[in-house]
Amino acid sequence: MTEVCPASLASNRWQLRTYEERALQTLMQKLGVSSTLSRLLVMRGHDLASATPFLKPSLRHHLPDPYVLKDMERAVMRLAQAIQHKEKILIWGDYDVDGATSSALLCRFLKALDVSAALYIPDRIKEGYGPNAAGIEKFKAKGYQVMITVDCGTTSFEALTAAEGMDVIILDHHAPEAKLPPAYAIVNPNRLDERPEITQTLGHLAAVGVTFLFVVGVNRALREAGFYTTTKEPDLLALLDLVALGTVCDVMPLTGLNRIFVTQGLKIMAKRRNVGLRVLGDQAGLQEMPTPYHLGFMIGPRINAGGRVGEAFLGARLLSTENVSEATQIAQALDQYNQERKILESDALAQALIQANPAEPALVVDHECWHEGIIGIVAGRLKEKHHKPTAVIAWNDHGIGKGSARSIPGFDFGKCIHKAHHLGYLLGGGGHAMAAGFSLTREQLPHFTTFLKEEVTRAQEGTHTTPLLLCDGYLDLSALTPALLQEIEGLAPFGMGNPAPRFIFSDVMVQSYRLIQDQHIRCRLSQGNGMTVEGIGFRLKGTPLGDALMEGNRRPLHLLASPKLDRWGGKTTLTLTIEDASFAPLTLPRTG
């Protein structure tokens, strides 16, 4: 790849993606697509075999047999037995969006079978992450025979020891340790004893994706057992809106099966059949075909707010209910909690920015007054600003710190947390490559901080630490036709692992700008031929890039931006999402 900008206003490097002309021509001829779409496909590594399923993602043709996962058949048969024998079933979920969607998916599936199940979401502050012995003992005393943990359980050794007498099924995706907790079945594509090809193809699933495969398996087992001769078989495709929501909000890569889940799930969500999602979407102002952006920035934060600063069970209950009145009350409560979350987040972020030392290989900040529920967001904001693995710690009154970590490509924070735990630098923790959680004492903090920085330094040896943005070529503003934008939409949905195409627009002038919510910058752009296009830069106020946009038409910019069609209120407008810019001349002449 060719580097065209070594240091942008946002401190990034730009590289042009390369492609083979022969491969481009092959896709054009065989698939009948334009040169632009063909080039974008080839740049992303697609050939004739992979391009067709990518452009036309089909769940019917690409859904794997659930039994390829270790312990899946054992787990499926146990729940099928519990359903048929009317045993008491407990669903124990996590308090984030992935946990809420996983829990709601199971609840809705069982409800469709006229099977009742208890749902329990622990309080983040009082009980912490995952199963706990005290809660399990209460349900054991009530005669529950089967316990299903979703988006948690893989590292719950002590708590699940207390579950003896219940059959525990774990549905999870978090990085495990070499030893697994006591359970009837542990379904996790990232198990260390899972087949490498399975981890490679399914290890990127969110817990809700694993849960959907589990439900597919249970449904098939019940069908084969003749259960549906007297009971109507549920519509599993109707649950894909929940799968899409959990996948996007857990920031899983939108590749492979995840992309199919999200593509089909967005179509289901647009039908507005889930009462809770419909009410919450209306309250958030969602008035168009939902996209990953709407899920990640409008719907997800509201559901998460209950687990962060409010009542942890609200998200799962909202997504499970069929009662409009109940859904409305919950949505209003979640919206209020979300407003509180924003205030807490803003205060903590301001304090964390003062603490953070950008010269260090990793950032570790802590405070006694931060709310535990917002430290993950703060870690994400710091990571975005400084492009470094980041850990944010909130201390409680007993001197125990709860930490949340966010990473960058090339550093696996989940594995780092497990290693630190085994070395005695943490009380416990877990997660996956890009996000993790942990707990520690004040005495452990300096040891963990030193260890983390050493691990990051070791992982980055011989690598370029300046963030790299891949570019899909040059474009003129005049080339942004509706036809081109519709072709680009063929690569959607965009998100983690499948970024929207970004192009370089040279010598662009900012004609005018205005602030949105005192942090986003919306501006009118031109390129010398009279044509103007609207651009938007998110959270840019106070940054060098934002300052450059707010200078107005003093000097031209080279913009790096992603074009899209905004559909709002029955109108369609073309917008550039501005990701970066440079005043300096690009290092290579424009080649088209």
Side-chain angles (χ1 to χ4, degrees):
M1 296 188 184
T2 304
E3 188 167 300
V4 296
C5 178
S8 69
L9 288 172
S11 301
N12 297 310
R13 293 178 294 137
W14 300 356
Q15 279 190 358
L16 286 176
R17 296 180 189 263
T18 57
Y19 65 93
E20 292 184 2
E21 184 65 28
R22 183 176 179 180
L24 182 151
Q25 294 295 331
T26 298
L27 291 189
M28 285 181 62
Q29 295 171 12
K30 298 294 185 180
L31 300 182
V33 298
S34 72
S35 61
T36 300
L37 183 57
S38 179
R39 183 170 69 251
L40 291 172
L41 287 167
V42 173
M43 283 178 169
R44 283 157 175 72
H46 289 291
D47 56 17
L48 192 59
S50 65
T52 297
F54 183 83
L55 292 174
K56 298 179 180 179
S58 167
L59 191 62
R60 182 183 301 276
H61 295 109
H62 296 93
L63 187 70
D65 184 340
Y67 290 174
V68 299
L69 287 162
K70 277 187 177 295
D71 273 10
M72 179 65 90
E73 184 174 5
R74 181 173 170 84
V76 162
M77 291 304 175
R78 183 63 187 91
L79 183 60
Q81 174 188 332
I83 291 170
Q84 294 175 86
H85 295 168
K86 301 186 183 303
E87 297 180 65
K88 298 188 74 172
I89 301 167
L90 167 65
I91 300 168
W92 189 297
D94 188 21
Y95 34 66
D96 68 358
V97 178
D98 193 15
T101 51
S102 301
S103 302
L105 191 153
L106 270 179
C107 287
R108 295 181 78 89
F109 172 68
L110 293 173
K111 189 182 299 183
L113 304 180
D114 198 26
V115 174
S116 62
L119 171 61
Y120 191 76
I121 309 292
D123 182 275
R124 178 192 293 262
I125 307 299
K126 297 177 181 178
E127 299 175 86
Y129 168 77
N132 61 76
I136 289 174
E137 291 290 355
K138 292 179 182 178
F139 284 101
K140 278 178 60 176
K142 295 178 181 179
Y144 281 86
Q145 297 150 286
V146 177
M147 173 180 172
I148 307 172
T149 72
V150 288
D151 197 31
C152 59
T154 296
T155 58
S156 301
F157 295 93
E158 182 178 348
L160 293 184
T161 300
E164 185 177 0
M166 286 197 296
D167 288 335
V168 178
I169 297 170
I170 296 173
L171 305 177
D172 201 2
H173 69 134
H174 290 100
E177 299 184 20
K179 180 183 177 183
L180 294 173
Y184 185 87
I186 301 175
V187 183
N188 184 333
N190 293 303
R191 283 176 55 156
L192 299 183
D193 60 347
E194 185 60 88
R195 287 179 292 160
E197 62 269 25
I198 298 302
T199 298
Q200 183 177 2
T201 56
L202 300 179
H204 66 300
L205 292 180
V208 71
V210 177
T211 303
F212 183 79
L213 292 182
F214 174 66
V215 164
V216 169
V218 175
N219 193 63
R220 183 174 66 187
L222 292 174
R223 187 189 308 122
E224 292 172 350
F227 185 80
Y228 294 126
T229 57
T230 57
T231 302
K232 182 181 179 181
E233 186 169 342
D235 178 10
L236 299 189
L237 295 182
L239 300 173
L240 286 175
D241 51 2
L242 297 175
V243 182
L245 179 60
T247 299
V248 169
C249 292
D250 221 43
V251 201
M252 295 292 103
L254 300 189
T255 57
L257 187 56
N258 276 349
R259 184 167 184 272
I260 297 174
F261 279 155
V262 174
T263 300
Q264 302 304 327
L266 290 173
K267 295 176 183 177
I268 298 298
M269 191 177 296
K271 297 179 181 179
R272 296 164 57 85
R273 293 174 178 170
N274 184 299
V275 172
L277 278 176
R278 182 173 72 240
V279 170
L280 195 62
D282 289 343
Q283 190 165 68
L286 178 54
Q287 300 176 4
E288 57 189 301
M289 175 72 183
T291 68
Y293 170 82
H294 300 116
L295 273 58
F297 294 94
M298 295 173 68
I299 303 297
R302 286 172 165 80
I303 294 174
N304 258 335
R308 293 189 185 281
V309 300
E311 299 165 282
F313 61 87
L314 289 180
R317 181 175 294 181
L318 174 74
L319 299 176
S320 304
T321 187
E322 299 289 349
N323 186 294
V324 176
S325 177
E326 181 184 26
T328 301
Q329 291 178 1
I330 295 175
Q332 290 172 347
L334 288 174
D335 188 67
Q336 180 61 42
Y337 285 134
N338 195 45
Q339 297 304 318
E340 295 177 18
R341 185 271 304 171
K342 289 180 180 179
I343 296 172
L344 292 170
E345 174 196 334
S346 177
D347 293 343
L349 180 58
Q351 296 167 337
L353 285 169
I354 295 172
Q355 279 194 50
N357 181 2
E360 297 285 358
L363 306 179
V364 180
V365 297
D366 67 300
H367 203 283
E368 289 82 1
C369 299
W370 289 342
H371 193 290
E372 182 184 324
I374 51 87
I375 57 176
I377 304 174
V378 174
R381 295 279 189 265
L382 286 178
K383 184 263 298 183
E384 290 173 6
K385 181 174 179 61
H386 296 299
H387 193 71
K388 294 178 183 293
T390 300
V392 178
I393 301 165
W395 298 101
N396 65 23
D397 295 337
H398 305 290
I400 302 298
K402 294 295 182 66
S404 190
R406 297 294 182 269
S407 194
I408 60 175
F411 183 72
D412 190 326
F413 229 134
K415 289 183 179 179
C416 176
I417 292 299
H418 285 310
K419 188 174 179 181
H421 179 215
H422 283 301
L423 291 172
Y425 303 149
L426 296 174
L427 295 175
H432 43 77
M434 302 305 290
F438 58 91
S439 60
L440 77 174
T441 65
R442 290 187 182 277
E443 291 74 23
Q444 289 174 316
L445 178 59
H447 302 290
F448 170 69
T449 301
T450 300
F451 169 77
L452 173 61
K453 292 175 182 178
E454 290 174 348
E455 288 291 293
V456 171
T457 300
R458 186 178 299 112
Q460 293 179 341
E461 285 180 359
T463 64
H464 206 311
T465 56
T466 302
L468 177 67
L469 297 181
L470 298 180
C471 316
D472 294 286
Y474 292 86
L475 275 185
D476 288 330
L477 295 181
S478 59
L480 297 176
T481 63
L484 173 63
L485 272 295
Q486 287 172 4
E487 283 193 317
I488 290 176
E489 284 187 336
L491 303 176
F494 301 120
M496 177 70 174
N498 185 40
R502 52 169 77 99
F503 300 95
I504 299 171
F505 298 86
S506 298
D507 300 318
V508 173
M509 301 295 291
V510 180
Q511 298 294 335
S512 61
Y513 77 90
R514 68 181 188 276
L515 285 175
I516 307 295
Q517 297 177 354
D518 199 37
Q519 58 176 330
H520 315 306
I521 300 175
R522 188 176 290 278
C523 48
R524 178 60 59 175
L525 309 168
S526 68
Q527 207 176 32
N529 59 2
M531 177 181 177
T532 63
V533 172
E534 192 168 79
I536 179 74
F538 294 102
R539 292 196 297 270
L540 292 185
K541 183 185 177 184
T543 68
L545 175 54
D547 292 343
L549 294 174
M550 294 169 67
E551 279 186 4
N553 59 359
R554 296 182 184 179
R555 50 180 170 165
L557 286 163
H558 304 301
L559 285 185
L560 186 62
S562 298
K564 67 173 183 175
L565 291 174
D566 274 333
R567 297 176 176 87
W568 186 266
K571 296 182 179 180
T572 301
T573 58
L574 190 154
T575 304
L576 284 181
T577 300
I578 300 169
E579 298 189 40
D580 205 348
S582 174
F583 285 124
L586 303 185
T587 57
L588 286 180
R590 175 173 172 168
T591 57

